[in-house]
């Protein structure tokens, strides 16, 4: 599945193979490579739940349907973080590290951990973990492999899973629950819009989330001042870490 068209950023698949149109279901041979574009209707084992979600985008978000159902690169409408983020190779020297953010997940939703640096109105974010099927001990092991330090590095996590927070704290992690207000997601979205966000290269899932994170729409297609649910796990982890607001922040 492609990510949206991003100004100044050409996806490597676009750059290498998709400069010309490739029809769905037809093999195109060019020099030493062959390109076959398929979509969900070519998959006899595609779950009905996935089909329902994709076809639901026809009315609720046609651009998202074009991208995720038809597999085409598209420019999304109503994207929340529009024009205030980019992709960089590394964090400049001297930028203060502020810690880690964590969003829990297991089966359908991935567990996500990000590292964040901040200076004034600029933020640098790196994807550390983004994976489904991780138990808390497995999540702990992956974080250690990625260089997160027990008993030293502070992690702000989703307060909706106190049991998981306790499990990780019992393992020696400095994990604290975020504080959420009723409308924290909208307020956090507007806060992130006020920042310049730099995503470190290699944070593939976070880049995909940021480029598709959109405002919710009503049944008539009108934009609502509320982020749409789903595909925002790395973003949630980022919010928990860097959104400093009296209604949602700190430790419990």
């Amino acid at each position: 599945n492609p990510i949206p068209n991003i100004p100044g950023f050409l996806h490597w698949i676009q750059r290498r193979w998709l400069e010309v149109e490739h029809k769905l279901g037809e093999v195109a041979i060019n020099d030493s490579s062959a390109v076959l574009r398929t979509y969900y209707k070519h998959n006899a084992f595609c779950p009905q739940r996935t089909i329902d979600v994709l076809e639901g985008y026809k009315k609720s978000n046609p651009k998202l349907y074009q991208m995720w159902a038809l597999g085409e690169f598209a420019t999304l409408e109503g994207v929340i973080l529009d024009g205030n983020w980019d992709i960089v190779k590394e964090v400049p020297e001297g930028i203060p590290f502020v810690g880690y953010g964590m969003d829990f997940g297991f089966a359908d939703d991935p567990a996500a951990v990000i590292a964040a640096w901040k200076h004034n109105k600029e933020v640098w974010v790196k994807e550390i973990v983004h994976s489904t099927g991780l138990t808390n001990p497995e999540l702990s092991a992956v974080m250690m492999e990625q260089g997160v330090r027990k008993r030293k590095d502070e992690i702000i996590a989703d307060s909706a899973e106190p049991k998981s927070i306790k499990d990780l704290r019992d393992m020696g992690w400095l994990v604290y629950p975020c504080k959420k207000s009723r409308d924290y997601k909208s307020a956090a979205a507007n806060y992130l819009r006020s920042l310049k966000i730099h995503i470190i290269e290699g944070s593939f899932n976070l880049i995909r989330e940021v480029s598709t994170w959109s405002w919710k729409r009503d049944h008539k297609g009108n934009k609502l001042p509320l982020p749409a649910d789903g595909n925002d796990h790395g973003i949630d982890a980022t919010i928990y870490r860097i959104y400093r607001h009296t209604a949602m922040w700190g430790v419990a």
Side-chain angles (χ1 to χ4, degrees):
N1 291 328
I3 63 174
N5 289 321
I6 303 170
F9 175 77
L10 192 65
H11 194 280
W12 68 271
I13 292 178
Q14 285 176 291
R15 186 170 58 249
R16 185 168 181 180
W17 285 302
L18 301 182
E19 292 184 352
V20 297
E21 182 181 357
H22 296 281
K23 293 183 179 180
L24 283 166
E26 296 184 10
V27 179
I29 299 175
N30 182 19
D31 297 330
S32 60
S33 66
V35 177
L36 172 62
R37 284 190 59 221
T38 62
Y39 72 149
Y40 70 102
K41 290 186 178 180
H42 290 118
N43 181 3
F45 302 98
C46 186
Q48 187 60 46
R49 177 184 176 187
T50 300
I51 294 173
D52 292 342
V53 170
L54 292 175
E55 293 187 347
Y57 287 137
K58 284 183 180 179
K59 291 185 177 181
S60 65
N61 195 328
K63 289 289 186 179
L64 210 55
Y65 177 78
Q66 179 185 352
M67 187 175 65
W68 283 349
L70 303 182
E72 299 174 357
F73 287 87
T75 301
L76 293 185
E77 299 174 356
V79 175
I80 295 173
L81 301 178
D82 186 12
N84 70 316
W85 67 280
D86 59 14
I87 301 168
V88 298
K89 290 184 178 295
E90 59 188 11
V91 181
E93 288 188 20
I95 301 298
F97 178 63
V98 295
Y100 296 89
M102 175 186 291
D103 188 47
F104 292 108
F106 182 69
D108 295 329
D109 295 332
V113 179
I114 61 91
W117 296 256
K118 189 172 185 297
H119 177 65
N120 295 332
K121 300 289 284 185
E122 291 188 79
V123 172
W124 288 257
V125 187
K126 181 179 180 181
E127 178 181 308
I128 304 298
V129 180
H130 196 286
S131 181
T132 56
L134 294 179
T135 63
N136 288 332
E138 290 169 339
L139 176 59
S140 172
V142 173
M143 287 195 294
M144 291 181 66
E145 291 172 2
Q146 295 300 315
V148 189
R149 301 170 299 174
K150 284 186 177 182
R151 299 180 179 87
K152 289 187 177 181
D153 292 326
E154 183 186 73
I155 304 169
I156 303 298
D158 186 359
S159 59
E161 290 209 23
K163 183 177 181 295
S164 292
I165 291 175
K166 184 180 186 305
D167 285 348
L168 292 172
R169 294 191 71 163
D170 289 345
M171 296 176 203
W173 295 101
L174 299 180
V175 184
Y176 303 98
C178 66
K179 293 181 179 178
K180 300 179 182 179
S181 66
R182 185 176 177 180
D183 62 344
Y184 84 94
K185 204 70 173 284
S186 295
N190 286 313
Y191 175 69
L192 292 182
R193 284 166 56 86
S194 73
L195 303 174
K196 179 65 177 179
I197 301 172
H198 308 285
I199 302 178
I200 308 304
E201 279 186 353
S203 303
F204 301 112
N205 297 289
L206 186 59
I207 291 171
R208 174 179 54 81
E209 290 183 7
V210 167
S211 60
T212 59
W213 196 38
S214 304
W215 296 109
K216 193 172 184 178
R217 294 180 181 272
D218 62 20
H219 66 284
K220 294 182 179 180
N222 298 314
K223 186 171 68 176
L224 302 174
L226 179 69
D229 292 330
N231 304 302
D232 56 359
H233 311 288
I235 291 173
D236 279 344
T238 301
I239 288 172
Y240 302 149
R241 179 67 263 181
I242 69 171
Y243 177 41
R244 298 175 182 246
H245 191 276
T246 56
M248 171 202 163
W249 183 252
V251 300

